[in-house]
Amino acid sequence: MRKKTESALPVVVIGAGMAGARLAARVPGATVVGEERHAPYNRVLLADVLAGRYAPDVIALPATEVRRGVRAVRIDRADRLVHCDDGSVLHYGRLVLATGSNPVLPPLRGLGDTLPDGVHPFRTLDDALALRAAVRPGVRAVVIGGGLLGVSAARALAECGAQVVLAQQGEHLMERQLDPEAAALLRVHLEALGVEVHTECRVRGLRCTTATTTESVRAVELADGYELAADLTVLACGVRPRTGLALAAGLDVRKGIVVDDELRTSDPYIHALGDCAEHRSTLYGLASPALEQADVLAEVLAGRPARYEGTRALTRLTLRSPDPLHALDLAAFGEARPLPGDDVVRLADATRGAYRTVVVREGRLAGGVLLGDLGAVSGLARTWQDDEPLPPAMSLLHLLIDDGGH
């Protein structure tokens, strides 16, 4: 039998998350290896699964053939082989690392390699389903981390009837995306739903009890000695790119796996995309850049000219509720914190819980935050993403009240 030529060898994708699934749907014959037992799914909707609004099959992505429950353990770059934990070996002509990221487990007293009962990360569908099975009305839940994921988890747990405390180390919620005024409105929204919010709150450890050989969480200890009673503790302290395979294979890794504008790593036959990829010194950690990278890479692998030049990503969060009055829409983009010399326009309606602000820097839209009514978000996002100078006749107020053509 003749040895396969390089062109006959398949594309192998390690990782069946949103980026890997998107790429595989656009590359005929790609082999996808995924550690999770589930079909690829929309990770953005995990809080909706936790809240019970969606069943797992509802958030599944369009069908993609995936070798589920299989973990790639080693890359042999010399022979272009991927070794998997089930003993299988895959040949590749091009290899794509879409390994994603892992939740950050904070260095807390009482938190070892094995999580105590009642302590849950919140990153995967299994995490969401485990929390859904554990939560019940009246259960005491502490969410550690007040970023996008922590806020979503706290809101979903409150919907399930839990008594929720949200502990955020920073000065306000969602510090990466929101300015203090928008964060204050978000806090009011959460507190109206019964979530107790603590900011500038450093967690020191977990207090657990032991029954036979099993540890169970009972409280979260704060740095000032105060304890928050907890039957459930959710760790939402950020994510870290999964780069272990790339490091072991000798690829260039900094914070993430370094890639060029064709999403190529330091090995010309290996690409990376999504949460694990570092492009022009930037890690995105969001769905929209990962999907855009997958689309570009599909073109590159097909031999067509394409380049990824970065994503001006908009963060959007919808906190749904059975009661429309308790729903909340939020969008943030660019740099919402003004620098000296920037122009800022802010509109706030405390009665309706609506807030809009934009920052203009050197004649261009630098960023903004919208909370409540998002009628203007499409027009603002287009203006920001185009990164063109604002027309002289365009007032800052017009930017905030324009409905984007709706």
Side-chain angles (χ1 to χ4, degrees):
M1 180 182 294
R2 288 191 306 172
K3 185 177 180 180
K4 287 185 178 180
T5 64
E6 176 181 308
S7 61
L9 291 174
V11 172
V12 174
V13 182
I14 300 177
M18 295 178 70
R22 174 76 158 238
L23 178 67
R26 285 158 172 72
V27 179
T31 299
V32 184
V33 177
E35 288 186 32
E36 295 190 56
R37 59 187 176 91
H38 305 283
Y41 55 86
N42 187 342
R43 198 179 303 275
V44 174
L45 299 177
L46 286 179
D48 294 297
V49 174
L50 171 55
R53 279 186 293 271
Y54 296 151
D57 60 333
V58 174
I59 70 168
L61 296 173
T64 300
E65 287 297 321
V66 178
R67 297 185 60 187
R68 302 186 203 175
V70 177
R71 184 167 62 92
V73 295
R74 186 168 66 88
I75 300 168
D76 180 343
R77 290 169 53 192
D79 292 329
R80 296 188 206 165
L81 303 174
V82 175
H83 295 261
C84 300
D85 64 353
D86 64 352
S88 61
V89 179
L90 303 173
H91 294 258
Y92 67 86
R94 293 291 180 96
L95 176 64
V96 180
L97 301 178
T99 49
S101 55
N102 283 327
V104 172
L105 300 183
L108 301 179
R109 181 189 306 165
L111 190 63
D113 294 334
T114 301
L115 297 181
D117 282 354
V119 177
H120 299 262
F122 186 49
R123 180 64 181 163
T124 68
L125 181 53
D126 280 337
D127 295 336
L129 292 175
L131 273 168
R132 177 70 185 167
V135 70
R136 61 189 182 279
V139 73
R140 299 168 300 180
V142 175
V143 178
I144 302 175
L148 181 65
L149 201 59
V151 167
S152 300
R155 179 68 172 80
L157 290 167
E159 277 191 61
C160 295
Q163 300 175 27
V164 184
V165 177
L166 178 58
Q168 158 72 336
Q169 183 169 315
E171 293 182 0
H172 60 76
L173 298 174
M174 291 183 63
E175 283 188 312
R176 289 183 58 186
Q177 294 88 11
L178 303 185
D179 60 16
E181 291 82 1
L185 286 172
L186 176 58
R187 179 171 183 159
V188 168
H189 169 82
L190 291 173
E191 290 176 339
L193 298 171
V195 178
E196 183 180 326
V197 179
H198 294 264
T199 54
E200 299 184 86
C201 171
R202 191 166 66 84
V203 175
R204 181 171 62 187
L206 306 177
R207 184 165 62 81
C208 302
T209 58
T210 303
T212 61
T213 59
T214 304
E215 284 193 326
S216 299
V217 67
R218 286 294 172 262
V220 173
E221 301 175 353
L222 305 183
D224 61 6
Y226 187 75
E227 290 190 350
L228 302 170
D231 304 304
L232 291 176
T233 299
V234 179
L235 304 176
C237 306
V239 295
R240 182 177 293 115
R242 295 185 65 182
T243 59
L245 268 178
L247 275 170
L251 300 178
D252 186 9
V253 174
R254 297 171 195 163
K255 290 183 179 178
I257 305 168
V258 178
V259 296
D260 62 14
D261 290 355
E262 291 186 333
L263 288 311
R264 185 179 282 110
T265 69
S266 52
D267 183 320
Y269 300 102
I270 302 179
H271 300 260
L273 75 167
D275 286 6
C276 67
E278 179 180 336
H279 174 260
R280 297 187 185 179
S281 302
T282 299
L283 289 166
Y284 288 99
L286 296 170
S288 56
L291 299 180
E292 186 176 339
Q293 290 171 3
D295 291 342
V296 170
L297 184 52
E299 294 297 300
V300 170
L301 294 176
R304 294 185 285 268
R307 299 181 71 82
Y308 176 70
E309 297 182 349
T311 300
R312 295 172 69 81
L314 180 145
T315 299
R316 186 159 184 171
L317 174 65
T318 298
L319 299 173
R320 298 177 178 84
S321 172
D323 181 354
L325 294 177
H326 288 156
L328 182 71
D329 282 323
L330 180 154
F333 57 94
E335 298 180 41
R337 292 190 180 94
L339 300 176
D342 289 347
D343 292 315
V344 180
V345 172
R346 186 172 291 130
L347 296 178
D349 184 341
T351 303
R352 298 173 58 194
Y355 175 85
R356 297 179 182 182
T357 184
V358 292
V359 176
V360 176
R361 182 174 303 150
E362 297 180 353
R364 287 177 165 83
L365 188 59
V369 176
L370 294 84
L371 189 145
D373 180 9
L374 298 189
V377 70
S378 58
L380 285 167
R382 282 196 303 270
T383 301
W384 173 66
Q385 288 168 343
D386 290 344
D387 195 29
E388 296 292 335
L390 298 174
M394 180 179 284
S395 71
L396 297 180
L397 187 60
H398 176 72
L399 282 174
L400 289 177
I401 63 176
D402 180 27
D403 66 358
H406 296 296

